[in-house]
Amino acid sequence: MGEPDENRRHWLEGPYWAEAVDRFTPAHARGDLGPQAVTLTRPGQWQVEPRLPRGATRVVYRLDLGAQDLPAGARRFLVLPGTFYTVDVYLDGTHLGSHSGYFGPLRLELPPLDGASHRLVLEVACPLEPRGSGKTMITGIFSHWDCLDRDFHPGGPWLLPWVEATGATRIRGLGIRTVAVDPDPAVELAVDLEGDAPRGSLQVTVEPLDPAHAGFSFGLDPRTGLSVLKLPGAARWWPWVLGSPARYRVKVALPGSDRRSLVTGFRTLERTATAFRVNGVPLFLMGANYGPSSRYLGQTTMAQVRRDMELARAAGLNALRVHAHVDHPDLYAAADEAGMLLWQDMPLQWGYRDEVEPQARSQVHEMVSLLHHHPAIFLWCMHNEPIHMDETLSPSLGSKLRTLWSVAVFSRNRERLDRRLAAVARRLDPGRAVLASSNVLTPWDRRGDAHLYCGWYREFGPWQLADLLFRRAPRMVGLLSEFGAQSFPDPVSCRRFLPGTVAPDAWEHLAIHHAAQPENLARIVDLARPVAELAAVTQRHQRDLHRFYIERCRWRTFRPGSGFFLFFFRDCQPAVTWSILDAWGRPKLAYDDLTRLLSPLHAGAIVPLGPLRPGRRLRVPLYAVNGTDRDERGARLTARLLDAKDHVRCAHRAAGTLPARGAAVDMGTLVIPPLDPGTYRLQVVLDRVGGPAPPMDYELVVAR
């Protein structure tokens, strides 16, 4: 949409009067609040404000608006950029408009205002939807997610409103799309004007954020609407693993009337049967699901999301999936800046009623319009797990059977709603890949994705089933978008919200408020053990399970795998979850392990996850993959199995050429003879001309 000229924008800082109510009345529309009203410096999410009831679902805000404080212009617009979930706006008792949806902005033209004070009233509602299916509000994980406190409620404004002024003609919409990068970038610029017939030309400047690059200026006919701009010599935006993420500020001005700007980058995207390509270069996606940057989105800061980008890059991740929500604007700016690719979900999670479709279509428009200019976004996904999901704490047998039916046989949302929404997204943005839904398994859709929790949820089966899929049906797991296991934070973080030992009667509290799943954790560790031991055991299990999946995904690089997204990156509250960074940003073992697992030049082994039976011969596939920009000729792999005394029990050596940014290369098989009970270490080393790649060590346990 583009940002307005700051000189013609006035932030509505307050003070506000706010009152939680059971229902809205005509008196509220006039701004007549009761004795329970409180004064706020600025509006915000209700659970953050201690003077508002924690269980509030409807709040009335009143702001006394002085015309003398507003920017001058022929026209003025009130902008509400983000509100959970519905809002009705009144000015001096007159209804100006309404909006549903937490991330899309509401823009309302204000009538001419005299010098007197005027009452601006916002009636904000965010009802509770206790069930995970049959929903009507599009809030994604903010209403239903098994990684948040069950008492969490997102209701309230989370971005500060403002008033902006324009001339008789305003720039209603601003869109930009890269149509080519070779030999030079070319972009399609769409400018939507509204109001009186414009006079003069539309002035467009393209300014690099890096002064080492050249800028561009254009004068366009404002009646054209859509123009193709050629930018000879402009730098391309690249993911950080491929190059530099060059960015440009595009300014569009209608002299004397309106100005808008946005920051973007120039790159092309393509999805083939086995790979995503950025500027024509194939890239194997190595990512993580990303939950809310903050539980209360209004508290997100640029420093915080920049730190997340640094931590993701340090681990070797090249992509993040914005999981079932639209996040704070700073997240997208930080990802553009860092060269971090983003998979962007619509905030649709689990099951919805049919009547949600018109609202969902409108919000797809809002999402694409709001975020399309961010070069980091490479994919739109309409719905996460469009399945029946009533309850995740203790579902009944009937609920489990309905969930299984919706996964394996038929989901009304998946077959109807999601496909229609995907068609809308493709029409709005033909330059990006679109997934109709992100599913548990998609054997019917070879261009889809898969969620696989073998090794965590009993319903998914043992790890051997996942191993079989990678060996026999690799297309089903070619884009693995969820996998993982819960683990406790380290003892330092645990002490901030847990006692030294979790009492038997405290596990329900831990499940409700800190997301723990005792039934699944109990299959990994004795829950009666001290918290420090719970952390050590569960973190080791999580690390080993991540390694199990990631090794198999990299083994299938472009054969036909296109990438993976582990579940998930960072907690937004104190919790026992699938995260690899806790709520304080402290890493778990699974995070520390990524730096070796995700090395661009990598050699690995496909080893079992669980203990081996004694007396059994084992065949371990070996592979190497080269994610760098040059061929590695004569690369040499050495695999050795060492016993407890570091004696070599068997070994394998192989050599070959690893093509740059190419498919994984099979490097033979290590045949392990029958072993006595005990613990063994498998070491895999890849040597090359420039020095060895990071070595990999695997623990093999032969049961007694």
Side-chain angles (χ1 to χ4, degrees), residues 641-661:
L641 183 70
L642 307 174
D643 61 20
K645 296 181 178 180
D646 280 344
H647 295 153
V648 177
R649 303 299 297 269
C650 60
H652 176 85
R653 291 176 176 81
T657 296
L658 308 179
R661 307 201 192 286

Side-chain angles (χ1 to χ4, degrees), residues 556-628:
R556 289 301 186 185
T557 297
F558 304 147
R559 311 185 305 164
S562 56
F564 65 83
F565 289 80
L566 63 86
F567 189 80
F568 66 102
F569 187 65
R570 177 177 57 80
D571 283 319
C572 62
Q573 65 161 59
V576 179
T577 69
W578 297 260
S579 70
I580 58 174
L581 294 166
D582 67 25
W584 297 276
R586 294 179 64 86
K588 300 179 181 180
L589 293 179
Y591 175 88
D592 293 333
D593 200 42
L594 289 179
T595 54
R596 289 188 299 167
L597 274 175
L598 306 187
S599 172
L601 189 63
H602 175 74
I606 306 304
V607 300
L609 181 62
L612 307 177
R613 294 195 302 269
R616 177 189 173 193
R617 186 184 300 271
L618 180 66
R619 298 175 62 85
V620 176
L622 303 168
Y623 75 97
V625 63
N626 180 12
T628 71

Side-chain angles (χ1 to χ4, degrees), residues 23-334:
R23 61 187 180 90
F24 298 127
T25 68
H28 295 143
R30 297 190 299 270
D32 298 331
L33 304 186
Q36 302 301 317
V38 298
T39 305
L40 306 177
T41 56
R42 59 191 297 170
Q45 288 170 273
W46 304 328
Q47 287 190 345
V48 176
E49 176 49 63
R51 289 175 295 171
L52 291 173
R54 186 169 177 82
T57 59
R58 293 176 180 83
V59 174
V60 181
Y61 295 90
R62 189 188 78 208
L63 173 67
D64 292 333
L65 202 61
Q68 70 278 3
D69 298 325
L70 303 182
R75 304 170 72 186
R76 294 191 183 106
F77 295 85
L78 170 69
V79 182
L80 305 179
T83 305
F84 282 98
Y85 176 73
T86 66
V87 59
D88 281 89
V89 181
Y90 297 85
L91 185 67
D92 297 330
T94 299
H95 188 252
L96 296 185
S98 60
H99 182 263
S100 293
Y102 81 88
F103 63 87
L106 171 63
R107 283 181 168 82
L108 297 171
E109 186 163 9
L110 297 174
L113 302 178
D114 56 30
S117 179
H118 301 268
R119 281 187 170 183
L120 178 67
V121 173
L122 311 178
E123 292 181 346
V124 180
C126 190
L128 297 173
E129 289 191 305
R131 295 176 65 239
S133 292
K135 298 183 288 185
T136 59
M137 293 199 313
I138 302 175
T139 52
I141 57 177
F142 289 108
S143 288
H144 297 94
W145 197 32
D146 40 16
C147 301
L148 280 175
D149 188 334
R150 297 303 176 102
D151 288 344
F152 167 76
H153 185 54
W158 60 279
L159 288 174
L160 188 65
W162 71 78
V163 171
E164 61 188 40
T166 73
T169 304
R170 70 164 176 143
I171 301 173
R172 181 166 51 189
L174 181 61
I176 192 165
R177 182 171 71 91
T178 306
V179 294
V181 292
D182 191 15
D184 290 305
V187 298
E188 194 175 74
L189 181 69
V191 182
D192 180 21
L193 302 180
E194 182 266 331
D196 294 348
R199 299 178 180 178
S201 64
L202 205 62
Q203 304 299 316
V204 178
T205 59
V206 181
E207 302 175 351
L209 270 60
D210 183 347
H213 300 140
F216 306 87
S217 297
F218 303 89
L220 305 178
D221 184 342
R223 297 168 298 180
T224 303
L226 189 67
S227 304
V228 175
L229 309 179
K230 295 184 177 180
L231 308 172
R236 304 175 190 181
W237 185 94
W238 291 96
W240 71 272
V241 292
L242 298 181
S244 176
R247 293 171 298 145
Y248 289 77
R249 186 179 303 277
V250 178
K251 298 180 179 179
V252 178
L254 196 60
S257 193
D258 200 6
R259 297 174 181 270
R260 300 274 156 178
S261 66
L262 53 78
V263 175
T264 191
F266 310 130
R267 54 93 187 97
T268 57
L269 300 167
E270 179 187 4
R271 185 184 184 187
T272 67
T274 60
F276 288 87
R277 293 177 176 268
V278 183
N279 299 327
V281 178
L283 178 64
F284 185 76
L285 299 172
M286 298 191 292
N289 284 262
Y290 187 89
S293 52
S294 293
R295 177 169 49 170
Y296 301 103
L297 272 185
Q299 296 180 338
T300 295
T301 66
M302 178 59 85
Q304 172 191 331
V305 290
R306 278 178 170 158
R307 178 60 176 158
D308 283 346
M309 297 302 129
E310 292 172 2
L311 289 167
R313 286 180 50 157
L317 298 169
N318 58 37
L320 296 172
R321 176 186 175 187
V322 187
H323 183 86
H325 74 289
V326 174
D327 210 284
H328 193 283
D330 285 351
L331 171 72
Y332 302 96

Side-chain angles (χ1 to χ4, degrees), residues 427-459:
R427 185 175 67 251
L428 293 171
D429 189 358
R432 286 185 173 95
V434 176
L435 280 182
S437 56
S438 181
N439 298 284
V440 173
L441 276 177
T442 53
W444 56 86
D445 183 4
R446 293 188 176 185
R447 296 291 295 275
D449 68 329
H451 303 176
L452 201 55
Y453 284 97
C454 302
W456 178 247
Y457 287 114
R458 188 191 302 272
E459 294 82 356

